[in-house]
mmCIF file of all heavy atoms in Angstrom:
data_model
loop_
_atom_site.group_PDB
_atom_site.id
_atom_site.type_symbol
_atom_site.label_atom_id
_atom_site.label_comp_id
_atom_site.label_asym_id
_atom_site.label_seq_id
_atom_site.Cartn_x
_atom_site.Cartn_y
_atom_site.Cartn_z
ATOM 1 N N PHE A 1 57.057 51.380 68.348
ATOM 2 C CA PHE A 1 57.372 51.081 69.777
ATOM 3 C C PHE A 1 58.005 49.643 69.900
ATOM 4 O O PHE A 1 58.882 49.308 70.596
ATOM 5 C CB PHE A 1 56.153 51.217 70.598
ATOM 6 C CG PHE A 1 55.523 52.636 70.533
ATOM 7 C CD1 PHE A 1 54.180 52.849 70.818
ATOM 8 C CD2 PHE A 1 56.191 53.708 70.236
ATOM 9 C CE1 PHE A 1 53.599 54.029 70.774
ATOM 10 C CE2 PHE A 1 55.708 55.011 70.267
ATOM 11 C CZ PHE A 1 54.349 55.141 70.537
ATOM 12 N N ARG A 2 57.216 48.785 69.205
ATOM 13 C CA ARG A 2 57.624 47.294 69.373
ATOM 14 C C ARG A 2 59.108 47.196 68.690
ATOM 15 O O ARG A 2 59.870 46.472 69.352
ATOM 16 C CB ARG A 2 56.606 46.468 68.464
ATOM 17 C CG ARG A 2 56.997 45.051 68.573
ATOM 18 C CD ARG A 2 55.903 44.109 67.745
ATOM 19 N NE ARG A 2 55.815 44.594 66.400
ATOM 20 C CZ ARG A 2 56.737 44.365 65.302
ATOM 21 N NH1 ARG A 2 57.771 43.585 65.675
ATOM 22 N NH2 ARG A 2 56.447 44.723 64.146
ATOM 23 N N LEU A 3 59.426 47.737 67.650
ATOM 24 C CA LEU A 3 60.638 47.626 66.940
ATOM 25 C C LEU A 3 61.831 48.264 67.895
ATOM 26 O O LEU A 3 62.883 47.746 67.949
ATOM 27 C CB LEU A 3 60.719 48.210 65.590
ATOM 28 C CG LEU A 3 59.956 47.580 64.556
ATOM 29 C CD1 LEU A 3 59.806 48.341 63.273
ATOM 30 C CD2 LEU A 3 60.393 46.118 64.322
ATOM 31 N N GLU A 4 61.532 49.424 68.447
ATOM 32 C CA GLU A 4 62.477 50.025 69.438
ATOM 33 C C GLU A 4 62.757 49.208 70.652
ATOM 34 O O GLU A 4 63.829 49.023 71.037
ATOM 35 C CB GLU A 4 62.027 51.445 69.794
ATOM 36 C CG GLU A 4 62.054 52.548 68.627
ATOM 37 C CD GLU A 4 63.465 52.951 68.347
ATOM 38 O OE1 GLU A 4 64.453 52.547 68.863
ATOM 39 O OE2 GLU A 4 63.570 53.824 67.431
ATOM 40 N N GLU A 5 61.667 48.659 71.150
ATOM 41 C CA GLU A 5 61.781 47.727 72.429
ATOM 42 C C GLU A 5 62.599 46.506 72.011
ATOM 43 O O GLU A 5 63.448 46.129 72.778
ATOM 44 C CB GLU A 5 60.470 47.512 72.957
ATOM 45 C CG GLU A 5 59.724 48.649 73.611
ATOM 46 C CD GLU A 5 58.315 48.439 73.913
ATOM 47 O OE1 GLU A 5 57.743 47.434 73.644
ATOM 48 O OE2 GLU A 5 57.857 49.432 74.546
ATOM 49 N N GLN A 6 62.306 45.959 70.866
ATOM 50 C CA GLN A 6 63.026 44.728 70.485
ATOM 51 C C GLN A 6 64.581 45.068 70.240
ATOM 52 O O GLN A 6 65.420 44.254 70.693
ATOM 53 C CB GLN A 6 62.480 44.106 69.218
ATOM 54 C CG GLN A 6 63.393 42.849 68.888
ATOM 55 C CD GLN A 6 62.751 41.899 67.897
ATOM 56 O OE1 GLN A 6 61.699 42.332 67.230
ATOM 57 N NE2 GLN A 6 63.216 40.677 67.865
ATOM 58 N N ALA A 7 64.871 46.196 69.647
ATOM 59 C CA ALA A 7 66.241 46.645 69.524
ATOM 60 C C ALA A 7 66.967 46.777 70.765
ATOM 61 O O ALA A 7 68.124 46.376 70.938
ATOM 62 C CB ALA A 7 66.305 47.909 68.643
ATOM 63 N N VAL A 8 66.241 47.391 71.798
ATOM 64 C CA VAL A 8 66.864 47.389 73.104
ATOM 65 C C VAL A 8 67.041 46.010 73.740
ATOM 66 O O VAL A 8 68.145 45.739 74.238
ATOM 67 C CB VAL A 8 66.025 48.307 74.133
ATOM 68 C CG1 VAL A 8 66.352 48.206 75.503
ATOM 69 C CG2 VAL A 8 66.008 49.686 73.632
ATOM 70 N N ASP A 9 65.998 45.214 73.752
ATOM 71 C CA ASP A 9 66.098 43.835 74.200
ATOM 72 C C ASP A 9 67.276 43.108 73.685
ATOM 73 O O ASP A 9 67.927 42.262 74.351
ATOM 74 C CB ASP A 9 64.832 43.004 73.974
ATOM 75 C CG ASP A 9 63.695 43.561 74.772
ATOM 76 O OD1 ASP A 9 63.834 44.343 75.777
ATOM 77 O OD2 ASP A 9 62.523 43.200 74.556
ATOM 78 N N LEU A 10 67.533 43.230 72.346
ATOM 79 C CA LEU A 10 68.564 42.510 71.677
ATOM 80 C C LEU A 10 69.950 43.272 71.755
ATOM 81 O O LEU A 10 70.986 42.771 71.254
ATOM 82 C CB LEU A 10 68.260 42.351 70.234
ATOM 83 C CG LEU A 10 67.071 41.310 69.881
ATOM 84 C CD1 LEU A 10 66.818 41.276 68.330
ATOM 85 C CD2 LEU A 10 67.512 39.891 70.311
ATOM 86 N N ARG A 11 69.896 44.418 72.366
ATOM 87 C CA ARG A 11 71.081 45.273 72.483
ATOM 88 C C ARG A 11 71.758 45.574 71.134
ATOM 89 O O ARG A 11 72.982 45.540 70.927
ATOM 90 C CB ARG A 11 72.049 44.706 73.518
ATOM 91 C CG ARG A 11 71.544 44.530 74.942
ATOM 92 C CD ARG A 11 72.575 44.125 75.895
ATOM 93 N NE ARG A 11 73.644 43.441 75.461
ATOM 94 C CZ ARG A 11 73.793 42.040 75.495
ATOM 95 N NH1 ARG A 11 72.742 41.303 75.851
ATOM 96 N NH2 ARG A 11 74.855 41.405 75.185
ATOM 97 N N LEU A 12 70.818 45.953 70.199
ATOM 98 C CA LEU A 12 71.272 46.341 68.794
ATOM 99 C C LEU A 12 72.038 47.645 69.004
ATOM 100 O O LEU A 12 71.672 48.468 69.761
ATOM 101 C CB LEU A 12 70.187 46.323 67.835
ATOM 102 C CG LEU A 12 69.460 44.955 67.713
ATOM 103 C CD1 LEU A 12 68.352 45.010 66.650
ATOM 104 C CD2 LEU A 12 70.380 43.844 67.343
ATOM 105 N N SER A 13 72.866 47.924 67.973
ATOM 106 C CA SER A 13 73.640 49.141 67.985
ATOM 107 C C SER A 13 72.816 50.490 67.737
ATOM 108 O O SER A 13 73.109 51.479 68.377
ATOM 109 C CB SER A 13 74.728 49.074 66.922
ATOM 110 O OG SER A 13 75.635 47.983 67.128
ATOM 111 N N ARG A 14 71.988 50.467 66.884
ATOM 112 C CA ARG A 14 71.195 51.709 66.562
ATOM 113 C C ARG A 14 69.654 51.596 67.043
ATOM 114 O O ARG A 14 68.933 50.757 66.584
ATOM 115 C CB ARG A 14 71.183 51.997 65.091
ATOM 116 C CG ARG A 14 72.589 52.222 64.537
ATOM 117 C CD ARG A 14 73.099 53.557 65.178
ATOM 118 N NE ARG A 14 74.489 53.797 64.746
ATOM 119 C CZ ARG A 14 75.392 54.315 65.502
ATOM 120 N NH1 ARG A 14 75.192 54.670 66.641
ATOM 121 N NH2 ARG A 14 76.592 54.456 65.020
ATOM 122 N N ARG A 15 69.353 52.469 67.932
ATOM 123 C CA ARG A 15 68.081 52.390 68.559
ATOM 124 C C ARG A 15 67.906 53.732 69.406
ATOM 125 O O ARG A 15 68.890 54.432 69.741
ATOM 126 C CB ARG A 15 67.842 51.249 69.396
ATOM 127 C CG ARG A 15 68.741 51.196 70.640
ATOM 128 C CD ARG A 15 68.762 49.925 71.332
ATOM 129 N NE ARG A 15 69.560 49.912 72.608
ATOM 130 C CZ ARG A 15 70.820 49.737 72.757
ATOM 131 N NH1 ARG A 15 71.470 49.296 71.685
ATOM 132 N NH2 ARG A 15 71.378 49.729 73.876
ATOM 133 N N LEU A 16 66.727 53.946 69.795
ATOM 134 C CA LEU A 16 66.374 55.104 70.703
ATOM 135 C C LEU A 16 65.812 54.521 72.034
ATOM 136 O O LEU A 16 65.381 53.378 72.029
ATOM 137 C CB LEU A 16 65.339 56.058 70.043
ATOM 138 C CG LEU A 16 65.770 56.900 68.852
ATOM 139 C CD1 LEU A 16 64.619 57.564 68.254
ATOM 140 C CD2 LEU A 16 66.850 57.861 69.318
ATOM 141 N N ASP A 17 65.825 55.279 72.971
ATOM 142 C CA ASP A 17 65.184 54.871 74.273
ATOM 143 C C ASP A 17 63.652 54.752 74.082
ATOM 144 O O ASP A 17 63.068 55.765 73.634
ATOM 145 C CB ASP A 17 65.479 55.949 75.374
ATOM 146 C CG ASP A 17 64.880 55.574 76.726
ATOM 147 O OD1 ASP A 17 63.972 54.705 76.810
ATOM 148 O OD2 ASP A 17 65.267 56.243 77.600
ATOM 149 N N PRO A 18 63.109 53.563 74.177
ATOM 150 C CA PRO A 18 61.660 53.424 73.967
ATOM 151 C C PRO A 18 60.744 54.395 74.787
ATOM 152 O O PRO A 18 59.752 54.876 74.324
ATOM 153 C CB PRO A 18 61.328 52.035 74.415
ATOM 154 C CG PRO A 18 62.587 51.306 74.191
ATOM 155 C CD PRO A 18 63.749 52.317 74.543
ATOM 156 N N ALA A 19 61.186 54.772 75.982
ATOM 157 C CA ALA A 19 60.497 55.784 76.695
ATOM 158 C C ALA A 19 60.476 57.169 75.992
ATOM 159 O O ALA A 19 59.347 57.751 75.986
ATOM 160 C CB ALA A 19 61.060 55.919 78.083
ATOM 161 N N TRP A 20 61.501 57.583 75.490
ATOM 162 C CA TRP A 20 61.535 58.798 74.728
ATOM 163 C C TRP A 20 60.585 58.692 73.476
ATOM 164 O O TRP A 20 59.899 59.645 73.180
ATOM 165 C CB TRP A 20 62.956 59.104 74.287
ATOM 166 C CG TRP A 20 63.017 60.408 73.605
ATOM 167 C CD1 TRP A 20 63.307 61.615 74.142
ATOM 168 C CD2 TRP A 20 62.801 60.701 72.148
ATOM 169 N NE1 TRP A 20 63.265 62.687 73.285
ATOM 170 C CE2 TRP A 20 62.910 62.150 72.063
ATOM 171 C CE3 TRP A 20 62.514 59.970 71.144
ATOM 172 C CZ2 TRP A 20 62.839 62.780 70.673
ATOM 173 C CZ3 TRP A 20 62.441 60.562 69.800
ATOM 174 C CH2 TRP A 20 62.569 61.950 69.719
ATOM 175 N N VAL A 21 60.707 57.658 72.723
ATOM 176 C CA VAL A 21 59.935 57.416 71.628
ATOM 177 C C VAL A 21 58.387 57.458 71.947
ATOM 178 O O VAL A 21 57.627 58.198 71.365
ATOM 179 C CB VAL A 21 60.221 55.996 70.832
ATOM 180 C CG1 VAL A 21 59.285 55.814 69.708
ATOM 181 C CG2 VAL A 21 61.634 56.054 70.349
ATOM 182 N N ARG A 22 58.060 56.765 72.975
ATOM 183 C CA ARG A 22 56.588 56.786 73.482
ATOM 184 C C ARG A 22 56.161 58.234 73.918
ATOM 185 O O ARG A 22 55.035 58.650 73.589
ATOM 186 C CB ARG A 22 56.369 55.827 74.614
ATOM 187 C CG ARG A 22 56.308 54.338 74.199
ATOM 188 C CD ARG A 22 55.866 53.504 75.337
ATOM 189 N NE ARG A 22 55.962 52.109 74.887
ATOM 190 C CZ ARG A 22 54.992 51.442 74.294
ATOM 191 N NH1 ARG A 22 53.900 52.194 73.860
ATOM 192 N NH2 ARG A 22 55.042 50.200 73.997
ATOM 193 N N ALA A 23 56.954 58.948 74.511
ATOM 194 C CA ALA A 23 56.719 60.279 74.971
ATOM 195 C C ALA A 23 56.617 61.306 73.786
ATOM 196 O O ALA A 23 55.922 62.320 73.909
ATOM 197 C CB ALA A 23 57.750 60.774 76.019
ATOM 198 N N ASN A 24 57.410 61.036 72.767
ATOM 199 C CA ASN A 24 57.457 62.051 71.731
ATOM 200 C C ASN A 24 56.846 61.702 70.328
ATOM 201 O O ASN A 24 56.457 62.638 69.595
ATOM 202 C CB ASN A 24 58.904 62.393 71.487
ATOM 203 C CG ASN A 24 59.456 63.135 72.635
ATOM 204 O OD1 ASN A 24 59.237 64.439 72.831
ATOM 205 N ND2 ASN A 24 60.173 62.487 73.513
ATOM 206 N N ALA A 25 56.694 60.479 70.030
ATOM 207 C CA ALA A 25 56.177 60.042 68.684
ATOM 208 C C ALA A 25 54.630 60.298 68.713
ATOM 209 O O ALA A 25 54.030 60.075 69.774
ATOM 210 C CB ALA A 25 56.512 58.610 68.382
ATOM 211 N N ALA A 26 54.177 60.763 67.599
ATOM 212 C CA ALA A 26 52.619 60.913 67.446
ATOM 213 C C ALA A 26 52.023 59.608 67.606
ATOM 214 O O ALA A 26 52.311 58.701 66.959
ATOM 215 C CB ALA A 26 52.368 61.554 66.156
ATOM 216 N N PRO A 27 51.101 59.363 68.567
ATOM 217 C CA PRO A 27 50.434 58.115 68.740
ATOM 218 C C PRO A 27 49.757 57.528 67.562
ATOM 219 O O PRO A 27 49.789 56.329 67.392
ATOM 220 C CB PRO A 27 49.399 58.396 69.868
ATOM 221 C CG PRO A 27 49.851 59.699 70.514
ATOM 222 C CD PRO A 27 50.624 60.406 69.495
ATOM 223 N N ASP A 28 49.188 58.459 66.721
ATOM 224 C CA ASP A 28 48.543 58.007 65.480
ATOM 225 C C ASP A 28 49.450 58.266 64.253
ATOM 226 O O ASP A 28 48.898 58.390 63.154
ATOM 227 C CB ASP A 28 47.173 58.576 65.422
ATOM 228 C CG ASP A 28 47.205 60.056 65.404
ATOM 229 O OD1 ASP A 28 48.299 60.695 65.656
ATOM 230 O OD2 ASP A 28 46.134 60.713 65.083
ATOM 231 N N GLY A 29 50.642 58.532 64.506
ATOM 232 C CA GLY A 29 51.570 58.990 63.362
ATOM 233 C C GLY A 29 51.968 57.930 62.472
ATOM 234 O O GLY A 29 51.748 56.670 62.655
ATOM 235 N N THR A 30 52.443 58.308 61.292
ATOM 236 C CA THR A 30 53.003 57.477 60.313
ATOM 237 C C THR A 30 54.489 57.684 60.287
ATOM 238 O O THR A 30 54.995 58.892 60.234
ATOM 239 C CB THR A 30 52.405 57.806 58.894
ATOM 240 O OG1 THR A 30 50.956 57.550 58.981
ATOM 241 C CG2 THR A 30 53.039 56.930 57.816
ATOM 242 N N HIS A 31 55.332 56.553 60.325
ATOM 243 C CA HIS A 31 56.740 56.667 60.354
ATOM 244 C C HIS A 31 57.222 55.758 59.290
ATOM 245 O O HIS A 31 56.553 55.031 58.746
ATOM 246 C CB HIS A 31 57.191 56.217 61.697
ATOM 247 C CG HIS A 31 56.331 56.588 62.958
ATOM 248 N ND1 HIS A 31 56.428 57.875 63.364
ATOM 249 C CD2 HIS A 31 55.361 56.007 63.651
ATOM 250 C CE1 HIS A 31 55.483 58.048 64.371
ATOM 251 N NE2 HIS A 31 54.856 56.955 64.512
ATOM 252 N N TYR A 32 58.543 55.970 58.905
ATOM 253 C CA TYR A 32 59.127 55.300 57.785
ATOM 254 C C TYR A 32 60.442 54.779 58.071
ATOM 255 O O TYR A 32 61.182 55.315 58.750
ATOM 256 C CB TYR A 32 59.209 56.182 56.583
ATOM 257 C CG TYR A 32 57.922 56.764 56.038
ATOM 258 C CD1 TYR A 32 57.425 57.939 56.625
ATOM 259 C CD2 TYR A 32 57.123 55.969 55.208
ATOM 260 C CE1 TYR A 32 56.167 58.460 56.134
ATOM 261 C CE2 TYR A 32 55.873 56.478 54.722
ATOM 262 C CZ TYR A 32 55.425 57.694 55.196
ATOM 263 O OH TYR A 32 54.280 58.206 54.726
ATOM 264 N N LEU A 33 60.781 53.490 57.462
ATOM 265 C CA LEU A 33 62.150 52.847 57.637
ATOM 266 C C LEU A 33 62.564 52.778 56.178
ATOM 267 O O LEU A 33 61.958 52.221 55.283
ATOM 268 C CB LEU A 33 61.951 51.519 58.130
ATOM 269 C CG LEU A 33 61.491 51.319 59.607
ATOM 270 C CD1 LEU A 33 61.229 49.853 59.967
ATOM 271 C CD2 LEU A 33 62.559 51.887 60.427
ATOM 272 N N TRP A 34 63.875 53.398 55.993
ATOM 273 C CA TRP A 34 64.518 53.345 54.729
ATOM 274 C C TRP A 34 65.800 52.454 54.872
ATOM 275 O O TRP A 34 66.664 52.951 55.521
ATOM 276 C CB TRP A 34 64.861 54.786 54.294
ATOM 277 C CG TRP A 34 65.442 54.878 52.916
ATOM 278 C CD1 TRP A 34 66.743 54.521 52.534
ATOM 279 C CD2 TRP A 34 64.887 55.427 51.715
ATOM 280 N NE1 TRP A 34 66.922 54.837 51.289
ATOM 281 C CE2 TRP A 34 65.871 55.366 50.703
ATOM 282 C CE3 TRP A 34 63.648 56.006 51.627
ATOM 283 C CZ2 TRP A 34 65.563 55.728 49.411
ATOM 284 C CZ3 TRP A 34 63.307 56.418 50.208
ATOM 285 C CH2 TRP A 34 64.300 56.357 49.209
ATOM 286 N N PRO A 35 65.917 51.308 54.327
ATOM 287 C CA PRO A 35 67.073 50.426 54.561
ATOM 288 C C PRO A 35 68.343 51.068 53.966
ATOM 289 O O PRO A 35 68.285 51.675 52.906
ATOM 290 C CB PRO A 35 66.843 49.169 53.766
ATOM 291 C CG PRO A 35 65.262 49.222 53.410
ATOM 292 C CD PRO A 35 64.853 50.681 53.507
ATOM 293 N N THR A 36 69.414 51.069 54.714
ATOM 294 C CA THR A 36 70.610 51.631 54.210
ATOM 295 C C THR A 36 71.878 50.653 54.243
ATOM 296 O O THR A 36 72.726 50.814 53.246
ATOM 297 C CB THR A 36 71.037 52.831 55.152
ATOM 298 O OG1 THR A 36 71.206 52.399 56.557
ATOM 299 C CG2 THR A 36 70.096 53.976 55.136
ATOM 300 N N LEU A 37 71.876 49.642 55.061
ATOM 301 C CA LEU A 37 73.013 48.761 54.945
ATOM 302 C C LEU A 37 72.635 47.465 55.845
ATOM 303 O O LEU A 37 71.792 47.575 56.743
ATOM 304 C CB LEU A 37 74.340 49.349 55.445
ATOM 305 C CG LEU A 37 74.435 49.925 56.772
ATOM 306 C CD1 LEU A 37 74.803 48.917 57.903
ATOM 307 C CD2 LEU A 37 75.416 51.015 56.712
ATOM 308 N N TRP A 38 73.454 46.463 55.674
ATOM 309 C CA TRP A 38 73.373 45.266 56.452
ATOM 310 C C TRP A 38 74.306 45.525 57.672
ATOM 311 O O TRP A 38 75.427 46.075 57.535
ATOM 312 C CB TRP A 38 73.850 43.977 55.823
ATOM 313 C CG TRP A 38 72.828 43.417 54.925
ATOM 314 C CD1 TRP A 38 72.843 43.365 53.511
ATOM 315 C CD2 TRP A 38 71.554 42.773 55.167
ATOM 316 N NE1 TRP A 38 71.686 42.789 53.065
ATOM 317 C CE2 TRP A 38 70.892 42.460 54.063
ATOM 318 C CE3 TRP A 38 70.930 42.492 56.465
ATOM 319 C CZ2 TRP A 38 69.689 41.726 54.027
ATOM 320 C CZ3 TRP A 38 69.656 41.919 56.456
ATOM 321 C CH2 TRP A 38 69.111 41.516 55.232
ATOM 322 N N HIS A 39 73.959 45.140 58.874
ATOM 323 C CA HIS A 39 74.829 45.376 59.975
ATOM 324 C C HIS A 39 74.805 44.044 60.807
ATOM 325 O O HIS A 39 73.735 43.354 60.938
ATOM 326 C CB HIS A 39 74.403 46.395 60.957
ATOM 327 C CG HIS A 39 75.210 46.717 62.131
ATOM 328 N ND1 HIS A 39 74.913 46.239 63.301
ATOM 329 C CD2 HIS A 39 76.266 47.481 62.172
ATOM 330 C CE1 HIS A 39 75.848 46.752 64.116
ATOM 331 N NE2 HIS A 39 76.724 47.392 63.440
ATOM 332 N N SER A 40 76.022 43.660 61.400
ATOM 333 C CA SER A 40 76.028 42.463 62.112
ATOM 334 C C SER A 40 76.868 42.673 63.351
ATOM 335 O O SER A 40 77.753 43.658 63.334
ATOM 336 C CB SER A 40 76.502 41.254 61.405
ATOM 337 O OG SER A 40 77.847 41.522 60.894
ATOM 338 N N LEU A 41 76.600 41.886 64.410
ATOM 339 C CA LEU A 41 77.457 42.027 65.620
ATOM 340 C C LEU A 41 78.310 40.830 65.664
ATOM 341 O O LEU A 41 78.049 39.809 66.078
ATOM 342 C CB LEU A 41 76.528 42.017 66.824
ATOM 343 C CG LEU A 41 75.419 43.185 66.855
ATOM 344 C CD1 LEU A 41 74.514 42.927 67.898
ATOM 345 C CD2 LEU A 41 76.055 44.484 66.924
ATOM 346 N N SER A 42 79.558 41.058 65.156
ATOM 347 C CA SER A 42 80.533 39.898 64.982
ATOM 348 C C SER A 42 80.915 39.307 66.400
ATOM 349 O O SER A 42 81.196 38.202 66.488
ATOM 350 C CB SER A 42 81.760 40.366 64.324
ATOM 351 O OG SER A 42 82.441 41.400 64.942
#
């Protein structure tokens, strides 16, 4: 939730609506991040 909210606050390119994430993600779930590339906002 914190990472999704920060991505929205910074207006990063790839993110989900934090409200959707809070409504649908398992509250006690385990989630994973797999790095794929560096991205920058030129």
Side-chain angles (χ1 to χ4, degrees):
F1 302 151
R2 181 181 55 78
L3 291 170
E4 289 285 3
E5 288 167 357
Q6 178 163 19
V8 169
D9 291 346
L10 292 172
R11 298 186 334 266
L12 301 180
S13 299
R14 297 292 178 216
R15 64 191 187 268
L16 292 169
D17 178 349
W20 185 90
V21 175
R22 283 190 184 278
N24 290 282
D28 57 350
T30 300
H31 319 283
Y32 297 93
L33 293 170
W34 185 287
T36 58
L37 58 88
W38 284 110
H39 184 261
S40 60
L41 303 171
S42 58

